[in-house]
Amino acid sequence: MKRVPSIKQLQYLLALHEHQHFGRAAEACYIGQSTLSAAIANLEETMNAQLLERDHKTFIFTPLGEDVVRQARYIVEQCEELTEFAKCQGKPMAGPLRLGCIPTIAPFVLSEVMALARERFPELQLLLREDTTENSLQSLTEGRLDLVLLALPYDTGTLHTEVLAQDPFKLVLHKDWLERGFQQDISQWPDESIFLLEREHCMTGHAVKACELDDNRKVNPFFATSLHTLSQMVNNKLGVTFMPQMAINSGLLRGTELVAQKPGSGQAYRDIGVAWRPTSSKLRSYRQMAQLITEVLQQKCSD
């Protein structure tokens, strides 16, 4: 019988690639460093290929090693999904489902999503992780997440995406500023009068595009770290901003003196969607979860 790598060897290889250090990788795998080193050497022998370039204290993955890591990640992912499939007797929406979500969506929909999931799918264990779009998609690609709820458009590479709803943007300003001319074309607004989130949040790019903020002089160089911080800045009459409808409908402006108006552009919105790996065996569960999330979004994003 032909020798093939074991799943455990591939798991050790993935741990080493993630931690880039034999000691930390061994600790993550609950084995000794010598055991890990021997397993990687045996893997190279089995495959008759050099996966690492080593010297006395450091190493790097060879180009072939990087390719093997990508294939190993897929194989391990499929084996883990097969195990969960067997545990749940092949039923969709049962067992763990790891859902990632970006910070400009998570606080406004995840509570309702979890409550509805518990009600309809009692055998489902919904695990949540909030992170930036870039980090969430990286975790999805590497098999640490099953599904990501995000704002689109965004470059997701080979991942499958589906748009679930449109989330309109609203102009948010202090009630005392209603007569300051912000009903006019944006080109007439004062320079540096618009406050947005830090650029690591994709909502900033979506707001700039959707609300036609072509003139960078209108955007203040100081950026907020969260929508809650942004609302407080505007409430203190530092400027105006654009916020998604789901945040407003969730009560973000409650207790402030802020008002929300439809911006000049009639197409000011962001798409809310999901992403998953097209190679996954959980597609039935993903589609059912997407439908459940859509129901929540229809309420949260209604104008």
Side-chain angles (χ1 to χ4, degrees):
M1 183 178 294
K2 189 175 182 179
R3 292 183 63 192
V4 296
S6 69
I7 297 299
K8 189 171 291 294
Q9 287 175 325
L10 298 182
Q11 289 174 321
Y12 291 164
L13 181 69
L14 293 180
L16 183 60
H17 189 266
E18 177 182 355
H19 295 280
Q20 293 293 314
H21 187 275
F22 271 95
R24 290 192 294 269
E27 184 177 347
C29 296
Y30 302 101
I31 59 175
Q33 184 171 328
S34 58
T35 301
L36 177 66
S37 181
I40 299 299
N42 289 336
L43 177 61
E44 290 181 307
E45 181 182 348
T46 298
M47 302 183 74
N48 191 28
Q50 183 182 11
L51 305 180
L52 305 176
E53 291 182 18
R54 304 171 177 84
D55 62 18
H56 295 296
K57 293 185 178 181
T58 62
F59 70 91
I60 61 171
F61 278 77
T62 65
L64 175 61
E66 294 286 352
D67 290 338
V68 170
V69 165
R70 283 189 285 273
Q71 290 293 322
R73 187 173 289 123
Y74 172 76
I75 293 169
V76 171
E77 170 199 324
Q78 292 295 307
C79 288
E80 291 174 349
E81 289 190 1
L82 178 63
T83 301
E84 291 298 332
F85 182 82
K87 284 182 180 179
C88 300
Q89 301 178 3
K91 295 184 294 185
M93 300 301 278
L97 192 151
R98 301 160 298 174
L99 174 64
C101 189
I102 64 175
T104 56
I105 297 177
F108 313 117
V109 302
L110 287 189
S111 177
E112 288 84 351
V113 167
M114 289 195 70
L116 198 57
R118 281 197 301 268
E119 175 186 332
R120 295 187 182 175
F121 307 105
E123 296 182 72
L124 180 70
Q125 183 186 7
L126 188 57
L127 306 173
L128 305 177
R129 179 177 177 181
E130 181 180 330
D131 208 336
T132 63
T133 305
E134 181 179 357
N135 290 343
S136 295
L137 292 178
Q138 182 68 26
S139 295
L140 178 62
T141 300
E142 295 178 356
R144 297 194 297 272
L145 290 175
D146 296 306
L147 197 67
V148 171
L149 180 60
L150 74 168
L152 299 168
Y154 196 94
D155 183 8
T156 59
T158 60
L159 296 170
H160 174 81
T161 59
E162 290 189 9
V163 174
L164 306 182
Q166 289 182 346
D167 187 20
F169 282 109
K170 289 296 179 63
L171 169 65
V172 175
L173 69 167
H174 196 279
K175 64 180 183 180
D176 293 346
W177 283 29
L178 289 173
E179 305 302 325
R180 288 204 174 189
F182 287 99
Q183 74 278 6
Q184 302 175 12
D185 185 87
I186 290 179
S187 63
Q188 304 301 313
W189 294 8
D191 290 349
E192 300 186 358
S193 60
I194 303 171
F195 284 85
L196 298 172
L197 290 177
E198 290 180 334
R199 295 196 180 276
E200 67 177 16
H201 295 281
C202 61
M203 198 194 84
T204 293
H206 292 144
V208 167
K209 183 177 180 180
C211 300
E212 301 178 357
L213 304 180
D214 298 325
D215 189 347
N216 289 332
R217 294 175 302 174
K218 306 304 178 187
V219 179
N220 195 288
F222 186 86
F223 294 93
T225 57
S226 70
L227 286 174
H228 288 86
T229 302
L230 197 58
S231 66
Q232 291 306 311
M233 292 165 63
V234 177
N235 196 47
N236 281 282
K237 303 181 181 180
L238 299 180
V240 301
T241 192
F242 293 94
M243 287 192 179
Q245 187 71 51
M246 71 164 61
I248 297 171
N249 287 349
S250 297
L252 184 63
L253 307 186
R254 194 175 298 131
T256 70
E257 297 185 290
L258 301 177
V259 293
Q261 297 182 337
K262 190 171 280 189
S265 172
Q267 300 297 317
Y269 64 87
R270 60 177 181 168
D271 287 324
I272 307 298
V274 288
W276 64 67
R277 296 180 304 279
T279 55
S280 175
S281 62
K282 297 181 179 180
L283 297 185
R284 289 175 61 195
S285 292
Y286 297 165
R287 295 197 180 279
Q288 290 189 49
M289 178 55 66
Q291 180 58 45
L292 184 148
I293 294 172
T294 300
E295 293 183 36
V296 174
L297 290 174
Q298 287 175 343
Q299 297 178 351
K300 288 293 185 176
C301 298
S302 61
D303 198 341

